Amino acid sequence: MPKQHTFKVVLLGESAVGKSSLVTRFVRDQFDPYKESTIGAAFLMKVVPIDNENSANLHIWDTAGQERYKSLAPMYYRNAAAAIVVYDITQAASFERAKSWVKELQRQAEPGIVIALAGNKTDLSDRRTVEYAQSFGLLFFETSAKTGDQISGLFTELAKKIPIAAEPAQLQGQSGVNLAQGGNAAGGAGDCAC
Amino acid sequence: MEANSISDKTLVDAAMAGPGVNGHKGSEARVSNPTKEAWILQSLRKRRSEFLSTSTIQAFVGTWNVNGQAAASVEELAEWLGFVPPANAPVVVAELPELLVLGFQELDVRAEAFVYNNAVKDGEWTQAVERSLGETRYSYAKLASKQLIGMFIMVYARIDVMDEIVDVQAASIGCGIMGMVGNKGAVAVHLVFRHTPICLVCSHLAHDALQLEKRNAQFHDLCKRLTFSSTEGVPAADPLVPASQQSVTGTGAAVGRPLTVFDHSYLLWFGDLNYRLAVDTGDSEEYIARHEYEAILGLDQLKISILNKQAFVGFEEAKVDFAPTYKYMIGTGEYDAKRRPAWCDRILWWTRPGCDGGVRSLSYESVPSLSISDHKPVRSRLELDVWKVQEEKRQAVFLEVLRELDRYENECIPLATLDSSIVDFGYVYYGKPAKATLKLANTGQVPLEFGFISTPARERSAPEWLRISPESGMLLPGEHINMEFSVFVDSATAMPLSTRIDELNDILILHLNRGRDYFIQVQGDYMSSVFGMSMDVLVHCKRPVRLMSREDFEACLGSGQYSVPVCIWTLTDFLTRFGIDRGYSLFYWKGDSELAWSVRECLDTGEKLNPDRILQWQGEAEGHVARTASEPVGLARGNTANLSLTDQTLVSSSAMQSALSGFALSSVPSTAEALERLTLNPWSAISPAQSHQYEPEATEQQNEEVRLSVSDSDSIAQDQIPMRPSLQSTGGDEALAGSPLPETIADAANIAHDVGVDTVAMVLVDFLKSLPEPLIPTEMYSACVEAGGISRAAALEAMEVLPPGNLNVVVYLLAFLREAVDQGSVSAQRVASVFSTVLLRAPRERHQTPGDNEKAENFVSFLLRSHGEI
């Protein structure tokens, strides 16, 4: 029985690039091309194997548009071990937005966050306007939630890239005194008043 | 018929794949629920007229077993075809059948034709047929023909519809001798007329009245083996499937699976099927002579086989209203007496489910006047509905159907409304609960189960500082619930918030069972406080904590530290100057909570404690003003609509600023200076007792005392009973015996005190209690308590392991307390009682024993008497 590690993964990207479809395809292996309304599952979990000893329980946050209030976005990606930034290969603007998400994550999110860039809708490659993107040193996949193309590859590779140490633990303190915890660590070289 | 089920399944796959995935191999697009698929298909079928443009064509179908005779004359053939106008009459093309389908059997009955499969007579017959068409010939073009020994099928189309016919294929299967030879079998043609796939089969089955089962078996064999290749881009058998999806018809289990005869909208099957009359009643000839065919058709083996579902199940036939076509004496209209007459030559059709009624017979008859063969030819005019799929409209209907399904499904999904997705507590202070509510209403039509779910950042569904009530529940349709969110920051949670490592915000996930998830943002501005902050950090803070950023906290840890945190100095300094100094009693009376809050704010913000303000505090009156004052500057924030700040008393900062003058940060004194200020002042007891009573956190023993007090004096309201100092002398007070100390309730009541001073003393005690870890760490508790039961020396020894930082503070506090005792502001006993619960805190896992509290008090008494020895 492999050891299971829990990681938070956030999905970011312009609306209508297929974030929800991507997750639904991955978690439930479903795709409803014409589905008007969606149930709106925004928080899904799926376990993916990492290696023989470890598996990752991915808690996937599909922010479903809330992140468009830019000031709220940091709350969504806080404590996230990984982020998937999605764009639509037929929508150049969505790629520009994706790039700015990547920059924001690199600047603002937890330093160790694993970022994957996903160009979705390869099933519409005849309408492609974004050429195969430079990967910017990130994990990069071109996917199709419709056909399932590269979806599990995306999540599996992402899970493998997350350091196991990124599993949420108590936030680590600094410079010997733990700011986060109300501990009473030995006080160091204070002058004794007596 | 097994073919049907296969195509039904695959066509849905195809339909679901939608446009734009033409030829996409292994497309995974699908509606996952088969019952849903069936419903969608059914709905599409109901509305097919909206996206199919249907028109009607006619087909002439003829079949003739020619018994190996030479081609018939032009006149004879013309008579069979029937529709050909006389030689000089004008040809009205529109009145001609669009399809001309002729099937022959026993075209070539020579033995070598069987063996070498080299029949040659088709050309002869083809020419004869074409000649017989006369001028009409030019209105037709040959689509296909196929010969297998004696069997021959020829299909012509009217030239004006040639463009509408695609994917013409011919096939033949022998099932005669050895089950393979083509003396029996079928020749067939597949074509797609507009978007309607049609299969034409001319077959010759086993002869002899006793071979019924063989005929039935040959039929099934032919159904299985007669196939055509599936061509990409050709319409599928069902008009519900988009025209471009032919290839996807085979997607999944069988990509490129060949088409069977049933993968067509229509299957026309004709020929010498050779079915005879079942039993000889002896009088069949008489019925035939009287044209009473109905009476003996019940004996027809074909009808019986269909009825018994043995062969040709689902096939239809027009009314047989002509004499049996077999067996005649050649050249005559007379039956051959050696054989019983039978309807061997038949024309049947099958329509695909969903295409029902698409084939109608206009005529069905034999042509008895033609006598070159022992069979009479049979002919039928059929009317066929053919359609063109209007792909855009089909797509539109498909979407509408899905939307309709969606709507029904949504009605079964739990639906709710949440009046906001943000819970904003505004400013949040240490130890002050704040509440807000969200209204969750079940607006769906099914019971709604809801619950907050945990996320990896924490094991609980909400952060430590937040309580949700209820965390889960169920609502019936129309019901609603107010979910209460309360935030409360205490010593367990304050540290990361105060040092700004963490923020007072989080995202909760509210999950509806079988429904959607809501993200709810909970946020508040935590007002950093020395309360709940650890001593290690406090000694480094050189600025008021409220003004420090996370970086400031991180930076200050690396710099030098004070021996005593500024907040402790501030409080003890005030008490020394205005409590002890003026002879007020300390640690007996509860202060004013309103004022206490102001004092705490000063500690956090760096405002200076204003002695005039504090010492002249008028209790309720002042408090009332503060309470009704406007909320603190800057409290009005974006979304506070759903916020109910109950129980939270806020004092306007402007009010505070007017009350408390500025606190000069540069004047933070050194510990040495602070200690110097601990000057002694004579004690005096003058002012009358006031109604404020200090209540330390009650221990079991103290509770008992309170109860005793109440029972002793029922007439006195409980909050007016001064806390009784511990009555049991531990014998450790000798050094202080000379001081005029209050030893009893009565004594305490006689000591002058001031509500302001009481309040500051209370804040000091409360602050020390808010330390996440007590000044004497919990791990030392057991040793200290034990020492308290032994001796002063033991107590001093126990203190040796105290970390130096903590030691500084303890020493400082003891010095202050000793001063207070010396000045008569408080008894040593009282100090021991109050501070034993402040300096020492039992570890959670420790099993407390009855003497522990007493020993802890003794321990503090020992320390108090150990001036200069620690």
Side-chain angles (χ1 to χ4, degrees), chain B residues 802-861:
Chain B
L802 190 68
N806 295 45
L807 190 62
N808 285 346
V809 180
V810 171
V811 167
Y812 179 90
L813 263 182
L814 287 172
F816 159 73
L817 292 170
R818 210 172 282 124
E819 189 83 23
V821 169
D822 289 348
Q823 293 296 320
S825 292
V826 63
S827 74
Q829 194 58 51
R830 182 65 181 161
V831 168
S833 170
V834 172
F835 282 84
S836 62
T837 64
V838 168
L839 297 175
L840 290 169
R841 226 178 285 164
R844 204 166 290 166
E845 65 276 10
R846 182 182 158 94
H847 179 69
Q848 288 289 86
T849 55
D852 281 356
N853 290 337
E854 195 184 320
K855 288 178 189 166
E857 288 181 20
N858 285 346
F859 177 78
V860 174
S861 296

Side-chain angles (χ1 to χ4, degrees), chain B residues 77-100:
Chain B
L77 284 170
E79 190 175 350
W80 176 34
L81 298 179
F83 63 85
V84 180
N88 296 322
V91 175
V92 183
V93 174
E95 291 176 2
L96 300 173
E98 280 87 347
L99 290 176
L100 178 53

Side-chain angles (χ1 to χ4, degrees), chain A residues 56-194:
Chain A
N57 183 3
L58 301 181
H59 286 203
I60 305 161
W61 292 48
D62 173 9
T63 56
Q66 280 104 327
E67 79 285 358
R68 74 170 167 268
Y69 307 106
K70 223 165 175 288
S71 61
L72 303 183
M75 295 177 68
Y76 284 94
Y77 57 71
R78 187 170 61 186
N79 297 330
I84 299 174
V85 178
V86 188
Y87 66 91
D88 175 349
I89 62 161
T90 71
Q91 301 291 335
S94 73
F95 181 58
E96 293 308 309
R97 184 76 188 92
K99 284 196 282 193
S100 76
W101 274 121
V102 170
K103 280 184 199 135
E104 174 169 347
L105 287 168
Q106 286 170 335
R107 208 173 44 237
Q108 310 252 4
E110 251 97 324
I113 192 167
V114 178
I115 305 172
L117 189 61
N120 195 29
K121 304 195 186 178
T122 53
D123 49 285
L124 302 178
S125 55
D126 52 338
R127 289 194 263 149
R128 174 193 287 274
T129 58
V130 182
E131 289 313 312
Y132 196 84
Q134 304 161 351
S135 67
F136 305 105
L138 311 168
L139 265 183
F140 174 69
F141 283 87
E142 284 202 338
T143 58
S144 168
K146 184 167 190 162
T147 66
D149 190 30
Q150 290 279 42
I151 299 285
S152 64
L154 165 67
F155 282 92
T156 310
E157 286 308 306
L158 188 73
K160 285 182 178 166
K161 268 225 165 179
I162 300 172
I164 284 167
E167 189 170 17
Q170 287 299 318
L171 293 162
Q172 296 304 305
Q174 297 171 29
S175 47
V177 179
N178 192 337
L179 279 179
Q181 281 176 307
N184 196 3
D191 296 322
C192 185
C194 51

